[in-house]
């Protein structure tokens, strides 16, 4: 980053790639660019503490773990991440294990998204990277020129970041997607008639592997963060207020939906955090316009049932990192040009998988007996057919090439 010397233009900075958003997408892109010798500045509207504490999903596909290893970010992941070789599906009072590693040779690692974010921030700061927190991008200009500008506000001042390219990694509610002129992008979306209530609890997990439960009162998921911390989710109505869910009601509902197999009970403990997240599927195409490249939640959202959100964000920027390296290193434009098409192949595979898992496991808002029978048939098929279980498993652990 270089600052212009004169006082009057003190609020102007210049870099090669201007990145909006310090989530997994923006931070990993900045790290990858650094490894390729390319300069970037990350603008993040929230504080460092906020992004490091924000509780999000926690499943890393094998490919994401490999990326973190390859780029020198896996020290703590190796110590604290938990490798899982299967998941459990619970329905009809029965429990069925999908042995993912046996079926695919690959595994997932449970490691909270905010831990990945902490590791990335630490690595960028240790390398002298420019991460500007509480810097709110308000407008993107000149995206169709070779010197776009990100206008942002920091400490009550208007500032500008001039760059060669802008990476819009600012999530679903960010400004980047909206900077593309009307008529260029096409959105594909689906909202679901339910939300997830997520709970982080100081309770030793009563499971070794994640449990996905289909219950007549709605879906429930038993996940974990460490030997002391459980992460649990309940399907709730889309307009549900968190105030309507005191801890005792949450535990009672979790017991009803999860304690369906004889002799098994969950462990309760103090609730550390709880929140409600809406469920939606969303894709915008293309993922690029002129000098703006969009990645992660800024261009696609999946319902969390397939645990794909963070993995897609990392896969997008792995492509972008290579594309920028080819541009700056060899004046090649091909990878930048094919970025959107290549990324969208993985995005749509994950869209289908996430929609499929969601449809198989949730109770629909209106009672639909035909749909309920289809769910039961699908679950039974996964539980009894190695071919169908392998399809679930290979999507869940992540397909190496899509
Ligand atoms: N200016 C600067 N930063 C912004 C702006 C803005 N105008 N708008 C949003 N941001 C920041 C947000 O505060 C957030 O930290 O952009 C960041 C986007 O990060 P994420 O939402 O984590 O999105 P992404 O990096 O694409 O990662 C996707 O996050 O939501 C989960 O399930 C999702 O796991 C997936 C992952
Ligand atoms: C989580 O641990 O937060 C988690 C796990 C699996 C999912 C979604 C979230 O499908």
């Amino acid at each position: 980053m270089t600052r212009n010397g004169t006082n009057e233009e003190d609020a102007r900075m210049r870099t090669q790639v201007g990145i909006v958003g310090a989530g997994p997408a923006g931070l990993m892109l900045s790290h990858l660019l650094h490894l390729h010798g390319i300069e970037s500045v990350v603008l993040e509207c929230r504080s460092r503490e906020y992004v490091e504490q924000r509780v999000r999903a926690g499943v890393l596909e094998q490919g994401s773990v490999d990326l973190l290893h390859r780029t020198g970010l896996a020290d703590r992941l190796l110590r604290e991440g938990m490798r899982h070789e299967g998941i459990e599906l619970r329905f009809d009072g029965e429990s069925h294990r999908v042995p993912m590693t046996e079926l695919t040779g690959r595994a997932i690692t449970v490691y909270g998204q905010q831990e990945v974010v902490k590791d990335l921030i630490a690595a960028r700061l240790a390398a002298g990277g420019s991460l500007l927190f509480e810097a709110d991008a308000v407008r993107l200009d000149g995206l169709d020129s070779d010197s776009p500008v990100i206008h942002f506000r920091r400490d009550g001042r208007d500032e500008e970041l001039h760059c060669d390219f802008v990476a819009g990694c600012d999530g679903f509610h960010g400004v980047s997607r909206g900077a593309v002129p009307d008529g260029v992008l096409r959105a594909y979306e689906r909202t679901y008639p339910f939300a997830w209530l997520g709970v982080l609890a100081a309770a030793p997990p009563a499971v070794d592997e994640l449990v996905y439960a289909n219950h007549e009162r709605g879906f429930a998921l038993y996940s974990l963060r460490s030997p002391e911390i459980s992460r649990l989710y309940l399907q709730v109505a889309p307009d549900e207020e968190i105030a309507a869910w005191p801890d005792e009601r949450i535990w009672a509902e979790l017991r009803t939906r999860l304690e369906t197999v004889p002799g098994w009970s969950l462990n309760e403990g103090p609730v550390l955090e709880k929140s409600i997240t809406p469920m939606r599927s969303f894709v915008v195409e293309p993922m690029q316009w002129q000098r703006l490249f969009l990645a992660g939640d800024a261009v696609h959202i999946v319902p969390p049932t397939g645990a794909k959100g963070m993995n897609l964000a990392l896969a997008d920027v792995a492509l972008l990192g290579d594309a920028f390296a080819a541009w700056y290193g060899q004046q090649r434009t091909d990878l930048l040009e094919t970025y959107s098409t290549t990324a969208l192949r993985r995005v749509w595979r994950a869209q289908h998988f996430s929609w499929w898992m969601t449809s198989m496991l949730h109770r629909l808002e209106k009672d639909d007996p035909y749909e309920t029978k289809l769910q039961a048939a699908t679950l039974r098929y996964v539980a009894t057919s190695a071919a169908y279980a392998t399809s679930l498993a290979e999507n869940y652990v992540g397909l190496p090439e899509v």
Side-chain angles (χ1 to χ4, degrees):
M1 172 180 70
T2 49
R3 253 188 199 278
N4 194 312
T6 67
N7 278 346
E8 170 181 301
E9 293 188 337
D10 199 24
R12 291 178 60 146
M13 280 179 263
R14 169 141 198 102
T15 192
Q16 291 178 304
V17 181
I19 300 176
V20 189
L27 290 167
M28 179 53 101
L29 178 60
S30 177
H31 179 65
L32 291 169
L33 293 176
H34 164 71
L35 296 179
H36 286 297
I38 301 164
E39 204 182 58
S40 67
V41 173
V42 180
L43 305 176
E44 166 58 52
C45 60
R46 303 285 194 163
S47 66
R48 178 176 176 185
E49 295 67 39
Y50 183 92
V51 298
E52 289 191 340
Q53 297 312 320
R54 186 166 45 187
V55 181
R56 293 271 184 84
V59 170
L60 289 169
E61 293 176 354
Q62 180 101 46
S64 302
V65 171
D66 294 346
L67 176 68
L68 293 164
H69 271 282
R70 248 193 344 267
T71 58
L73 289 164
D75 287 358
R76 201 158 66 89
L77 174 67
L78 275 177
R79 288 197 308 274
E80 297 174 22
M82 291 165 287
R83 183 183 149 94
H84 283 201
E85 301 197 340
I87 56 169
E88 189 183 318
L89 298 176
R90 216 169 262 194
F91 59 95
D92 250 358
E94 293 172 19
S95 168
H96 295 272
R97 179 169 189 263
V98 180
M100 294 178 312
T101 305
E102 198 181 304
L103 295 169
T104 67
R106 294 156 73 81
I108 55 140
T109 298
V110 177
Y111 190 67
Q113 178 170 315
Q114 79 266 37
E115 306 308 324
V116 175
V117 164
K118 280 181 207 160
D119 296 344
L120 279 162
I121 290 176
R124 289 307 297 122
L125 294 179
S130 293
L131 307 181
L132 308 187
F133 291 99
E134 298 175 72
D136 193 359
V138 287
R139 199 175 85 246
L140 312 183
D141 263 350
L143 292 169
D144 53 355
S145 75
D146 58 11
S147 185
V149 184
I150 308 173
H151 298 266
F152 65 101
R153 279 190 72 77
R154 190 165 56 137
D155 294 334
R157 264 162 46 104
D158 292 321
E159 300 190 44
E160 294 176 6
L161 177 61
H162 293 245
C163 39
D164 301 332
F165 296 96
V166 177
C169 303
D170 45 355
F172 184 70
H173 300 287
V175 290
S176 301
R177 194 176 64 245
V180 178
D182 289 349
V184 173
L185 300 180
R186 173 153 185 208
Y188 301 81
E189 61 190 312
R190 173 150 308 183
T191 51
Y192 299 88
F194 39 78
W196 274 19
L197 191 169
V199 176
L200 193 68
V207 291
D208 297 325
E209 294 178 339
L210 274 57
V211 177
Y212 288 81
N214 172 306
H215 189 273
E216 61 189 13
R217 292 178 60 84
F219 170 72
L221 169 60
Y222 204 145
S223 182
L224 58 151
R225 286 292 177 273
S226 74
E228 296 83 35
I229 305 286
S230 299
R231 178 79 174 140
L232 302 121
Y233 297 94
L234 283 171
Q235 174 186 351
V236 295
D239 52 359
E240 199 67 275
E241 300 281 344
I242 196 74
W245 287 87
D247 297 355
E248 190 33 56
R249 180 176 178 206
I250 295 175
W251 288 117
E253 197 60 37
L254 285 167
R255 284 196 301 270
T256 305
R257 297 188 197 180
L258 285 163
E259 292 183 348
T260 55
V261 260
W264 185 91
S265 59
L266 51 76
N267 294 332
E268 296 181 24
V271 170
L272 306 173
E273 197 262 358
K274 57 183 169 183
S275 61
I276 293 181
T277 318
M279 302 274 280
R280 76 161 64 81
S281 295
F282 173 80
V283 183
V284 149
E285 295 189 4
M287 290 168 60
Q288 176 237 340
W289 183 70
Q290 305 280 4
R291 293 259 172 154
L292 172 66
F293 290 80
L294 298 162
D297 274 18
V299 261
H300 45 70
I301 301 281
V302 281
T305 329
K308 288 283 162 262
M310 167 169 48
N311 296 293
L312 280 181
L314 293 174
D316 285 351
V317 297
L319 290 176
L320 262 189
D322 287 346
F324 284 127
W327 163 275
Y328 283 106
Q330 300 143 47
Q331 292 78 50
R332 274 172 52 196
T333 57
D334 55 333
L335 296 184
L336 286 175
E337 283 160 8
T338 54
Y339 164 68
S340 176
T341 315
T342 309
L344 281 165
R345 283 204 287 270
R346 173 177 295 276
V347 167
W348 277 108
R349 174 87 306 280
Q351 286 287 332
H352 172 261
F353 177 64
S354 306
W355 164 86
W356 177 78
M357 284 282 278
T358 302
S359 313
M360 176 171 74
L361 289 163
H362 290 72
R363 208 57 359 188
L364 305 165
E365 189 183 31
K366 292 200 188 69
D367 206 23
D368 182 341
Y370 184 79
E371 192 77 42
T372 307
K373 288 285 185 190
L374 284 185
Q375 281 186 338
T378 312
L379 283 161
R380 186 119 338 253
Y381 190 27
V382 174
T384 52
S385 156
Y388 211 40
T390 304
S391 171
L392 186 160
E394 71 178 2
N395 278 279
Y396 196 85
V397 298
L399 291 153
E401 296 294 337
V402 183

